[in-house]
Structures are given as C-alpha cells and as structure tokens.
Amino acid sequence: MSSIKTILQFIKTHILYVLRVIARYYIAYNMFSYAFTKILKTQFNMGLSYASDMGLDYFNGLLFTWYYYGYSRTYGLIIAYTQITAGVLLLFRKTVRLGVVLFLSFMVNILLVDIFYEIDGALWHAAKLTTLGFFLLFSDWKGFKTYFLRALEKIQRIPQILPSKFRQAYRLKFLIIPVMIWYAYNDIYESKQNFLIKNELFGVWRNVTDDKDHSHRLYKVTFDYDNGLKIKDFAKNIYFGSIEIDTVTKTIQLQARHYSEEANYFVLDSIAKVSVAQQQDKNLKKEIRNYYHTINNSTPFQKELYSYKIEQDTLVLSSSNHKGLKFVNIHVEN
C-alpha cells in the first residue's frame, strides 16, 4: 500500500512537473513563431492577386480572416507582441499563471475562428495548443483558485466595516446587476429595431429570367436594411442606392448609382487634358462622369418603378418596359 502511495506521489511531483514544463515551452515556442510570422508579414499577407479587384463573393473563411486581421498593420503587431508576452510569461514559474490566462484569452478565440470560419489547415494545431493551455490551467487549479478567485482580506471585510445602516444597502448589488444587464440589452435591442429595419424583399435575389434581353441590367439585386439597395448588372458593375417601397400597391422605385476607380480615373485624366479655364467649370466633372457612364452602359437607376410579387422564394418584377423578370433568393439573413 505504501509503495502505491510512493508511486503516486512520484507521478504527482515529478512526471506532472515534466509534462507541465514541456507544455509551457512548446506553447511558448509556438507563440514566438506565430508572432514573428506577423512581424515579418508572412501571415495576414494577401498578396497582390487577392488584394485588388476581388469581390467578397470570391472570399472563403480563410481569406476573410486574413483580410480582416491584415487590414491594420498596427493591430497585427499588437497581436504579435501579445503572443510574445504570453510566451515569455510561460517560461518562468512565477509568471506561469499570468501567462496561461493571457494565452487562453486569445487562443480560445483563434480556435473558434478556425472552427466557424472553416480554416481546416490550422484547426488541429489550434486545438492542440488550446488543450495544452487548459492542461496547464487545470493541473494547477488550486493555485489558480487562490490566485484569481479569492478576494483580498480587506475587500472581504468591507461589509463589516460599513455602518450597520448601510450593510443592507450593500446587498442591492444583486438587484443592480440584473437591471444593468437588462438595460444594456434593451438599449441595443431598441437600436436594432430603429436602424436595422427589414422590408419584405430583404435578401439577395439573382435573375433567372429565361430571355436574352438585358436592357433592364438587373442581374443581382440586394435589398438591405433600412431600404438600402445594391445592384450588380450583367457587366458586373455595382450600384449602390435605396428603394422606396409601397406595400399596399406592391411597387418599388429603384434609385442607385455606380461608383468605381475606373470612373474616378477617367474623370481626373479627362480634366487634366483640358484648359485651365475649362477645369474651373463646375459642371465639367459631372458631364465627364455622365459621359463615362453612357459609354460603359452604367448610367444610374433614376427612380425606376417596378411592381413586385413574391412567390415562395421567387421574386417577380415588372415595369412598363420589362415584364415578368424572375429572381431567386440566394441569401437571406435570419
């Protein structure tokens, strides 16, 4: 019996210690590696092919993640230095607990991003590192409990040092906390009700009309919150604007304009080629832009009136010039 206790004691004091050291150094090494990939720009670097002329339709979860985190160089460096800090803290016994808490605070988020953004290539490694972090946490649970979950003695004595008349008021925090949570939720909920307004057309609709007449130019139509509108035509021009909807007469008015880098450069180059006197003409820029849209068939949608009808997941639009345009719903947010 005593020999079993001796073996268990040996495991507890020696093998567990060795496993914790291996886990600490393994995590620290990976944190340094991840940090240097950000500092040296081998991570979150989209390259030239994806950095320009790519619409969101072409992005998967990995590209979205890399684009988001790589958008700000400063933010990427902050993440890198945070990872270095966590790695350094894990290398010293006196700061291991701080290092584990800092490490898990961002590592769990990385794991969730890999799962829900379907970044399969990094998922296994992130899961392994997160598991090792929780191993360090729970194998020293008593220490963590004392370190983080025990109030200071002076703070524990606060109810006793208050005058007796105020001791009952101290318990009001149990009423204040749920009220505070409810107020925060209700404030955001009311903002959502006021600003994220959906109409019955809300969603992304793609043209499936069986004809070759594309003069209406409506290839993909997005009806967004608060009557927002985005249109993609058959030449892949993008238009942004808004709609006016009448749910009684079942009619909508589309109003949207096309903006692009090409149009902007066309205007600037054209102005540079004319005389100084002409450049001061206030209407010149507008006329050049209108000319660009005319030759590229990207003229604005100026309150074009359509009647609409929804049949299950199919939208039918009709105007005085175009009858029975059919669109299928390819995305709607719940």
Side-chain angles (χ1 to χ4, degrees), residues 253-265:
Q253 282 188 333
L254 309 181
Q255 185 166 352
R257 293 183 60 187
H258 170 61
Y259 303 90
S260 69
E261 291 182 354
E262 289 80 3
N264 184 52
Y265 293 143

Side-chain angles (χ1 to χ4, degrees), residues 43-56:
Q43 191 180 39
F44 304 150
N45 189 340
M46 299 290 292
L48 297 179
S49 298
Y50 289 101
S52 62
D53 301 327
M54 292 292 289
L56 296 181

Side-chain angles (χ1 to χ4, degrees), residues 163-181:
S164 57
K165 292 183 179 180
F166 292 96
R167 291 180 187 176
Q168 296 301 320
Y170 178 77
R171 301 180 184 277
L172 283 176
K173 68 178 182 180
F174 297 106
L175 175 62
I176 293 173
I177 290 173
V179 170
M180 179 176 61
I181 294 173

Side-chain angles (χ1 to χ4, degrees), residues 105-123:
S105 67
F106 61 77
M107 197 64 224
V108 171
N109 179 65
I110 292 174
L111 176 62
L112 294 176
V113 169
D114 288 345
I115 293 173
F116 295 108
Y117 283 70
E118 301 177 353
I119 307 177
D120 298 331
L123 177 58

Side-chain angles (χ1 to χ4, degrees), residues 43-46 63-76 79:
Q43 191 180 39
F44 304 150
N45 189 340
M46 299 290 292
L63 292 178
F64 272 119
T65 304
W66 277 53
Y67 181 80
Y68 173 78
Y69 285 105
Y71 183 80
S72 171
R73 172 66 172 162
T74 304
Y75 182 64
I79 296 175

